[in-house]
Amino acid sequence: MGFIMEGLDAEAYDRTYSDGHLIKRIIGYFKPKLPLMITITILIVFNAGLDTAFPLLVSNSIDTLSSTHAFQTAVIIVGFILCSSVLSWTCNLFRQRFTARSVGDVVLHLRKDAFTAVMSRDMSFFDEFSSGKIVSRVTSDTESFATVVTLTLNLLSQVLLYVLIVVVLFFRNYQLALMTLTIMPAIIGVALGFRVVARRFTRRAQRSLARVNSNVQEIVSGITIAKNFRQEQNMYDEFKQINAQSYYVNLRSGFLYNGIFPVLVFIANIGTTIIVYFGGHSVLGGVISAGEWFLFVQSLSLLWQPLTSIASFWSQFQLGLAASERVFALLDAEPRIQQTGHETVGQIKGEITFKQLLFSYDQRQTVLKDFSLTIKAGETIAFVGHTGAGKSSIGKLISRFYEFQGGKILIDGRDIRTLDLAQYHARLGIVPQSPFLFSGTVADNIRYARPTATDAEVYAIAQQIGNGDWIEALPEGLETLVGETGRSLSMGQRQLVALARVLLQDPAILIMDEATASVDPLTEAQIQEGLDVILKQRTAIVIAHRLSTIKHANRIIVLDGGRIAEEGSHEDLMRRGGHYSDLYNTYFRHQSPDYKPGEGFIPVRDPNMQAPSTR
Amino acid sequence: MLAKREFTVANTYHYNWSSPMRWIISHLLQYRFLFLGFALLCIVNNIFAASTSLFIGRAFDAVLQKNTALQQLGMITLAMLIVITMQGCCDLGARLTAEMLSKRFARDAREELYTNLLGKSQTFHNRQRVGDIMARASNDMTQLSDMMSPGIDTIMDSFSSLFMSVLFIGLLNPQLLLVPILYVIVFLVALRFYARQLGPVAVNLREEFGQTNAVLTESVNGIEVVKATAQEPQEIHKFVTRASRYRDFYVQNGKIHGRYLPTLLLGIALALAFLHGLYLYSHHEISLGMLVTFMSLMTYLRYVTYMSTWSFSLLRLGVAGAERIISLLKEETELDANMGGHKEEMRGDVVFEHVTFSYGSTPILKDISFHARPGQTIAIVGQTGAGKSTLTKLVNRIYDVDTGRVLIDGVDVRDWDMDALRSQISTIEQDVFLFSRTIAENISYGLGSKADQSAIEVAARDAQADEFIQSFPQGYETEIGERGVTLSGGQRQRLAIARALLTDPRILVLDDSTSAIDSATEDEIQKAIHRILEGRTTLLITPRISQIRWADSILVLRKGELIDQGSHEELLARCETYRRIFSHYDAALPASVGGVEHD
């Protein structure tokens, strides 16, 4: 069956906690609810006491019947039984109410914590783990967490009931009581054995379910591709296999959970048989009365109920513990970004200095090595270079999305590690490579960075981008709904919205990663005008590809393999005829209407320089 | 059943979608023998269970009458042992079959939903939130599984226990039936009342869960923007608002649980039953042993009373989940696979005849007519939102026209077999979507598992992707996405081109948006595009104006209307909008370009 378990490994940030540690943390969440929890516990104790009354009262009345036939006393006892059941019900009513309230609050609290934890993770976390799995931890797993608590409370009442009955039995006849308890070791043994296996099975089952879900998520997200290539059949076949795997894994754990019950019931029934036999003997020997015998037999049926509850408790308790383990692992995942301080950021001029920076995404390959550079406040810097030269990494490091391994980054002379990140980000504008929009209107998205902005402000900003012509193309202007991830809008429109969003944010430092990509030629010109406005008066780091963007730059940095190959103005670099002119050459040829693709790379021969550059 | 769908699986079992209950039943009926076995095992199990009470009563009578008591006691105990052993076997059998039904149900329902989602049109998928679909596919499915086991499993078991207890009480002495029968009636009424109260809350609870999920998914997917704008508090506020509403329903749900009347009724019934039993005993209608049996049978009613809260709420939640799943299943799709339609090798002649298309009530394209001859490249230009992408999606029937016709080789696309049509048309999308699997698998995606390694490598080489693929340590076996490498836009596009090259389509739709790739990559992409255009009818949307310039014909769109079409020279001469594109680029060209020599 080895194949069934393939690919069901844990996430990298998963860790194992001891049960004790988990429970301690869960209890920690309930501390603020202490008065409510105490009330609930009192109600539970009360409830258990009332529930024990029934077999006792019945057994007493049987004894009075067999001896004196006093119907009157029996009727009074029945009256007691009635009262106790009404009281017990009322206790339960309040108990349920209070439990729902406290558990509801705690789950809300935990979800809030989990979500806040997710939000505070750095970008490397989101690159590594699929959104589907993160989401399931915050919603589904916190819900399973709630069941742990509800179950624990139920268990408490069951155990109390159990203890009360056992105490009563011992007072009646300790020999028979001991006999009643002979089945205990068997039940405990089975339950413990079950516990060991259950936890392992549960983890596998949940992981395989997570795999099915991420498979479904992938097809829902990539449905267009599947349709274009008519690959529905293959997708289906693959899903079927994963679904079948999940079926076997889940069936196995299901068998375990549901099979444990009959086994425990069977053991309990053997107990009943023992009591019937030896109890009968005791009655014949005159050791106990018939009423007491009845009490023992009846109690057994009351006794194994809590015991099976304990067993079923384990099953779901394990589910819940495994779930809370995953939630806590999410909460405790070590952030890779380590801030050494939280200094107030205030107004930023926008000077950025890299000092002997060392950076790699993982151990495999170093992206930046001994990288030093100073960007003056208000300067527009364009980074150019081949893919993988480290251009995007520079943007991500200034954004403080990733942790670097050596050297320093200074913002206005202050170590980036000492700044308050939230305040810093507020002063930072980022136009990502692929613009993400939130569902809502275009206006909502523009004011995303500054939710307090008025409609008039939003409109004014939108007008500044490309003279506002693009708003006309939207069916309902700024009130157009953008759909999930903005997919009701075209790529170009999303870009424009992203630009407007940053413009409204009015940051001191702007980081633009290929921001002008994928806008149609007609809109392109308008965007350039918008960029003029955005780039003015702030430090801008542009990972640039467009001629006009580069022309705007005060300085161009040519990156090659994580090092600065050349730097200077466009004219200087062209004159030098080095690395930049190579890049420039290919870069512009395709933008010229006369360009014909696939003609290869033509080296620049500057008339002023004798040595032609070669590849 | 849906009248139309884009994808079907042969020999599928057809489930009844007319109501959630019927759907659930039709699923269970698929395993009718297993279900029947399960039901039988439940009943037999409870017959044995109830009969143990009879033995206990017998033992009491035997002991209290004191003649040959010891011998009888031994016999009774022996019989009890046999009965409980058999009961244990039945019990185990019932639980395991229930588990099988439960997991099979979840598996089949998940498969049904998956197949169904694959069969839906793009229009449908544009409407739906991924998070919402996911909530249905994951949580509602778990609800379904839980509904069968332990839900229906417990209901079957507890109700057969109820039935058997009442039956055995009747066999004991028909007069004893008075209280139990009354109780059963009141209990059923109270249970129904309870279920009615709980139902709407359960539905709301589920729905709110879906919404919370959707909000959360969005925040996680848009994390870069959230972080870049330091708007974590806003996202947390959004999430907490949703989660708080969920909490409110949860509390309401708990309150209804607390008001569960049957437990109170049971307490009263037990007291009254005992009173009634005492009365009959004092009038010598029944023996003490019978009273004992009666009371222990009465306590069996505990099981159904206590478990019903839980088991019926599982059933409710399951039905609510089923309802949400069915509503998703039932969503009509606009297109169908049109199996048995026109099927032929394409030449690549595309004609648009007075095509009009609206998305909902928004008109996107108005009266578009043009003709693309086999092998021609048709460039489409126009401002963002002019309808360029939509136009190309009418060719492979991602959408269907409202009025007018789209003809391929003279045949209306609606008359083509969907498989034949789409397999001969390739699309390279704006947002290149790659699956989280190896590079080789992504390239060979269009062929499924049929592609061999050498063909994949040839396609990758033609798409100028071979070089960067080889630079990865695992080469073509490198995983992409979540667990593997992250690719740049240009790399993704070249993989998409390789993917399209491998299927060798007659018609190509190239919705090219990866314009400003960095310099060296750019030339490679241009080469790749050039290679893929060869000999194919191509509808080209591109920001690269050189490609527009060299196209055989250019369509100029403005707000859904075709304002002009013709060659580059013709349009330069007569079309103002078209001229604007080039005047801007010419103006942007630096003086130094003049010094660049081409050789």
Side-chain angles (χ1 to χ4, degrees), chain A residues 28-213:
Chain A
Y29 271 91
F30 280 90
K31 274 222 176 105
K33 300 272 150 208
L34 202 61
L36 210 53
M37 296 314 283
I38 291 172
T39 319
I40 291 169
T41 315
I42 292 169
L43 286 171
I44 287 173
V45 174
F46 227 68
N47 229 341
L50 290 167
D51 284 349
T52 330
F54 178 71
L56 273 179
L57 292 169
V58 173
S59 128
N60 277 345
S61 63
I62 283 179
D63 277 346
T64 47
L65 285 179
S66 54
S67 52
T68 58
H69 285 246
F71 189 60
Q72 296 293 330
T73 25
V75 170
I76 294 168
I77 288 172
V78 169
F80 273 119
I81 295 175
L82 253 173
C83 287
S84 77
S85 56
V86 173
L87 263 176
S88 152
W89 186 80
T90 318
C91 283
N92 186 56
L93 175 91
F94 285 105
R95 191 190 121 197
Q96 293 261 14
R97 245 171 220 231
F98 295 155
T99 313
R101 210 191 308 156
S102 52
V103 169
D105 285 344
V106 167
V107 168
L108 180 62
H109 184 188
L110 189 69
R111 283 198 174 151
K112 202 170 148 184
D113 282 0
F115 187 76
T116 313
V118 169
M119 286 290 116
S120 63
R121 291 283 90 90
D122 46 68
M123 287 307 292
S124 57
F125 179 83
F126 296 95
D127 287 347
E128 276 170 61
F129 307 108
S130 82
S131 56
K133 284 174 187 166
I134 298 173
V135 166
S136 103
R137 285 195 189 212
V138 179
T139 50
S140 308
D141 287 343
T142 48
E143 196 171 57
S144 310
F145 172 93
T147 54
V148 175
V149 182
T150 332
L151 282 166
T152 313
L153 290 175
N154 283 337
L155 182 81
L156 181 63
S157 73
Q158 300 281 15
V159 168
L160 261 175
L161 183 65
Y162 186 86
V163 171
L164 280 173
I165 292 170
V166 169
V167 168
V168 168
L169 292 187
F170 266 94
F171 272 107
R172 288 295 164 99
N173 183 307
Y174 74 94
Q175 282 149 325
L176 215 51
L178 278 177
M179 212 170 279
T180 314
L181 296 181
T182 47
I183 53 163
M184 281 292 290
I187 287 184
I188 289 170
V190 170
L192 285 181
F194 171 77
R195 196 196 138 186
V196 175
V197 191
R199 195 160 178 180
R200 195 152 41 91
F201 274 41
T202 305
R203 273 201 208 153
R204 275 192 198 144
Q206 292 194 335
R207 261 180 224 148
S208 94
L209 210 56
R211 239 184 70 161
V212 175
N213 289 339

Side-chain angles (χ1 to χ4, degrees), chain A residues 524-542:
Chain A
E524 178 59 33
Q526 300 172 334
I527 284 192
Q528 290 302 338
E529 291 163 25
L531 281 179
D532 282 347
V533 186
I534 293 180
L535 297 179
K536 211 178 283 170
Q537 316 253 307
R538 52 191 120 228
T539 312
I541 289 94
V542 187

Side-chain angles (χ1 to χ4, degrees), chain A residues 35 51 54 130 190 201 228 252 257 302 396 436 483 488 529:
Chain A
D51 284 349
F54 178 71
S130 82
V190 170
F201 274 41
N228 282 334
R252 269 167 50 145
Y257 285 131
L302 281 179
K396 285 171 180 168
F436 181 91
S488 306
E529 291 163 25

Side-chain angles (χ1 to χ4, degrees), chain B residues 86-282:
Chain B
M86 294 206 289
Q87 189 232 329
C89 294
C90 290
D91 198 359
L92 190 66
R95 300 293 81 78
L96 296 191
T97 39
E99 202 56 45
M100 275 167 82
L101 281 168
S102 150
K103 298 297 187 272
R104 283 188 187 181
F105 187 9
R107 179 192 63 183
D108 295 346
R110 201 172 271 129
E111 188 174 317
E112 187 186 1
L113 180 65
Y114 193 88
T115 322
N116 186 280
L117 285 177
L118 283 175
K120 302 261 195 231
S121 70
Q122 190 62 40
T123 323
F124 165 84
H125 285 285
N126 287 349
R127 266 201 309 266
Q128 293 294 323
R129 286 170 152 234
V130 174
D132 203 39
I133 292 185
M134 281 319 293
R136 295 187 199 204
S138 60
N139 298 302
D140 288 343
M141 285 298 173
T142 314
Q143 296 289 343
L144 278 187
S145 165
D146 287 349
M147 176 192 67
M148 181 57 220
S149 168
I152 293 180
D153 180 23
T154 312
I155 292 172
M156 281 292 282
D157 197 44
S158 60
F159 274 81
S160 50
S161 157
L162 171 73
F163 185 74
M164 287 307 151
S165 307
V166 174
L167 188 76
F168 273 69
I169 290 171
L171 291 175
L172 209 61
N173 185 333
Q175 289 185 64
L176 286 172
L177 280 175
L178 177 68
V179 179
I181 294 274
L182 274 177
Y183 171 69
V184 169
I185 292 165
V186 182
F187 166 67
L188 289 178
V189 172
L191 196 62
R192 185 154 176 76
F193 172 74
Y194 172 77
R196 282 245 172 100
Q197 270 197 314
L198 195 65
V201 179
V203 171
N204 285 334
L205 198 62
R206 283 300 95 195
E207 240 148 51
E208 212 48 62
F209 188 84
Q211 289 295 327
T212 312
N213 245 334
V215 167
L216 178 60
T217 308
E218 189 178 74
S219 310
V220 173
N221 287 336
I223 189 71
E224 195 173 354
V225 181
V226 177
K227 289 202 161 291
T229 51
Q231 288 302 311
E232 287 96 337
Q234 188 186 339
E235 290 304 312
I236 291 171
H237 176 75
K238 257 196 256 177
F239 177 76
V240 170
T241 313
R242 278 289 170 196
S244 303
R245 285 177 62 176
Y246 178 81
R247 177 241 172 229
D248 293 344
F249 283 119
Y250 181 85
V251 171
Q252 209 180 330
N253 192 49
K255 277 186 185 168
I256 296 173
H257 273 270
R259 284 203 302 266
Y260 185 59
L261 215 51
T263 42
L264 176 65
L265 296 173
L266 178 74
I268 297 168
L270 281 176
L272 293 181
F274 190 49
L275 187 67
H276 189 216
L278 285 175
Y279 175 79
L280 292 177
Y281 175 72
S282 63

